[in-house]
C-alpha cells in the first residue's frame, strides 16, 4: 500500500514539475516584443487603428508592439503568417471583418479563418451610410426603393472594388429591397466617393466620416445608416433596421486574434489589456476621428460574429456571382 501511494505521489510530482515552466511562462508574459500583423499597407484604416492602439499596449504590457504591415491577397497573406506562427502570444493579427468573413468564400485558402485563428476581442466598429447624388428624386429610403423598382438597373452604385465591404453592403441591400442596381467598381473608396460627388454614379454605401461633410454641404443626400443603433455622429439619421430591414447590421470592424492553441492565460491577458486601452478617453477620441466606435467583446462573442457574418456574406456572394480579384 505504501509503495502504491509513493508511486502515485511520484507521478504527481513529475507532472507538476513538467507543467511548471509553461505556467510560469504564461504568468511572465510578455518578456519580449509582440508583433502585430496588419493585413493592409501603411496609411489605411487598419494601419491607423494599429498605431492608435499599440503605443498604449506597449505602456500597459511593458513590451513594445511592433506593427508589421503585410498587404497582399486581400489580407490573406497576413492572416496566414499568424496561422503559421507559434501560439505563444507574440504574433497577433489585427483582423478586419472582410478578411475574416468574406475571404473564406472569395478565395481558396490553405487554412481556415474560423478554425486556425483564435478570437481575443473586438476592438472597434464603423457602420456605413447610404448616400445619394442630389439629382436622385428621393428624400428617404421608401422613396428611393420605389424609384429603383421602377427603373431596374437604372441607378449606378460605386464601390472600392469587387468583394469589398461597400460592394457587399449594396448587394445585400439590393437583395433585401428587391431592387436591381448597376455596380461600378473603382480602385479604392476615395475614387468611389469622387464618382458619386461628380454624378458618375448615383448611389454609395460609404464611410460616415468621409461622407458627412459632403452631406452637410449639400453635395450628397443622406438616407440611412447601417448599424444596429444610430451612429453617435449622425443621430438624426435612422438606421436601416429602424426602416424595416431587420438584421441589417452592416459595417467594418477590427479585432485581435491569435494562432489557434494559444494558452488561455495569454488570451485573457491580451483581452484584459486591450479592454483597458480601448476604454481610455484619448484612445476613444482618436478612434472617433477615424469614424470608429470603440466596441469590445468576449472571445466567444467574436467567434459567433465571425461565424454569422461568414454565412451571410457567403450567401450574398453566391447569389450575386461575385468572384475574387
Amino acid at each position: 500500500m505504501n509503495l502504491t501511494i509513493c508511486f502515485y505521489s511520484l507521478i504527481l510530482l513529475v507532472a507538476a514539475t513538467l507543467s511548471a515552466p509553461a505556467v510560469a511562462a504564461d504568468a511572465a508574459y510578455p518578456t519580449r516584443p509582440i508583433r502585430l500583423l496588419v493585413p493592409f499597407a501603411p496609411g489605411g484604416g487598419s494601419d491607423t487603428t494599429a498605431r492608435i492602439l499599440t503605443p498604449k499596449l506597449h505602456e500597459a504590457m511593458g513590451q513594445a508592439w511592433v506593427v508589421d504591415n503585410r498587404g497582399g491577397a486581400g489580407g490573406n497573406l497576413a492572416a496566414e503568417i499568424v496561422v503559421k506562427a507559434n501560439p505563444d502570444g507574440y504574433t497577433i493579427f489585427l483582423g478586419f471583418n472582410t478578411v475574416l468573413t468574406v475571404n473564406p468564400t472569395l478565395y481558396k485558402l490553405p487554412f481556415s479563418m474560423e478554425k486556425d485563428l483564435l478570437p481575443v476581442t473586438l476592438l472597434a466598429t464603423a457602420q456605413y451610410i447610404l448616400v445619394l447624388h442630389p439629382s436622385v428624386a428621393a428624400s428617404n429610403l421608401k422613396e428611393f426603393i420605389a424609384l429603383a423598382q421602377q427603373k431596374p438597373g437604372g441607378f449606378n452604385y460605386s464601390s472600392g472594388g469587387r468583394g469589398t465591404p461597400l460592394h457587399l453592403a449594396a448587394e445585400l441591400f439590393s437583395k433585401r429591397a428587391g431592387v436591381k442596381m448597376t455596380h461600378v467598381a473603382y480602385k479604392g473608396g476615395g475614387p468611389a466617393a469622387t464618382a458619386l460627388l461628380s454624378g458618375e454614379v448615383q448611389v454609395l454605401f460609404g464611410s460616415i466620416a468621409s461622407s458627412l461633410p459632403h452631406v452637410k454641404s449639400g453635395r450628397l443626400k443622406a438616407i440611412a445608416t447601417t448599424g444596429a443603433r444610430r451612429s453617435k455622429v449622425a443621430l438624426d439619421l435612422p438606421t436601416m433596421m429602424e426602416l424595416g430591414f431587420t438584421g441589417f447590421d452592416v459595417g467594418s470592424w477590427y479585432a485581435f486574434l491569435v494562432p489557434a492553441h494559444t494558452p488561455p492565460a495569454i488570451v485573457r491577458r491580451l483581452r484584459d489589456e486591450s479592454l483597458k486601452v480601448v476604454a481610455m478617453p484619448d484612445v476613444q477620441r482618436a478612434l472617433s476621428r477615424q469614424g470608429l466606435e470603440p466596441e469590445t467583446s468576449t472571445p466567444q462573442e467574436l467567434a459567433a460574429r465571425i461565424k454569422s457574418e461568414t454565412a451571410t456574406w457567403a450567401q450574398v456572394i453566391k447569389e450575386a456571382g461575385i468572384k475574387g480579384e
Side-chain angles (χ1 to χ4, degrees), residues 184-197:
V184 183
Y186 293 83
K187 292 184 178 180
T194 299
L196 179 65
L197 289 166

Side-chain angles (χ1 to χ4, degrees), residues 16 86 125 151 155 180 260 309:
N86 289 330
T125 62
K151 303 177 181 180
F155 288 108
K180 181 175 177 57
E309 291 190 15

Side-chain angles (χ1 to χ4, degrees), residues 45 53 63 89 92 131 133 137 154 160 163 205 214 218 221 229 231 252 267 320:
L53 298 174
Q63 291 290 337
I92 315 296
V131 284
H133 188 268
F205 277 85
H214 300 301
K221 192 183 302 183
R229 57 187 178 276
S231 168
S252 299
V267 174

Side-chain angles (χ1 to χ4, degrees), residues 135-137 144 146-149 151-157 180-183 201-203:
S135 62
V136 179
F144 173 64
L147 278 178
Q149 288 175 338
K151 303 177 181 180
F155 288 108
N156 297 334
Y157 74 90
K180 181 175 177 57
M181 302 188 294
T182 302
H183 178 220
V201 300
Q202 298 80 44
V203 186

Side-chain angles (χ1 to χ4, degrees), residues 168-277:
L168 295 176
E171 286 294 337
L172 180 61
F173 166 72
S174 297
K175 174 187 172 185
R176 295 283 302 276
V179 302
K180 181 175 177 57
M181 302 188 294
T182 302
H183 178 220
V184 183
Y186 293 83
K187 292 184 178 180
T194 299
L196 179 65
L197 289 166
S198 68
E200 289 180 25
V201 300
Q202 298 80 44
V203 186
L204 171 70
F205 277 85
S207 156
I208 290 181
S210 61
S211 299
L212 275 184
H214 300 301
V215 171
K216 292 176 180 177
S217 69
R219 298 184 68 193
L220 294 179
K221 192 183 302 183
I223 298 298
T225 56
T226 65
R229 57 187 178 276
R230 293 197 178 198
S231 168
K232 293 179 181 178
V233 296
L235 287 172
D236 57 327
L237 280 177
T239 67
M240 299 287 290
M241 292 175 68
E242 286 180 69
L243 298 173
F245 284 73
T246 306
F248 200 99
D249 180 8
V250 178
S252 299
W253 48 261
Y254 298 101
F256 280 155
L257 300 97
V258 291
H261 310 300
T262 298
I266 289 178
V267 174
R268 283 195 299 272
R269 177 79 195 282
L270 284 169
R271 181 175 180 270
D272 289 347
E273 298 299 347
S274 297
L275 265 57
K276 292 175 187 175
V277 165

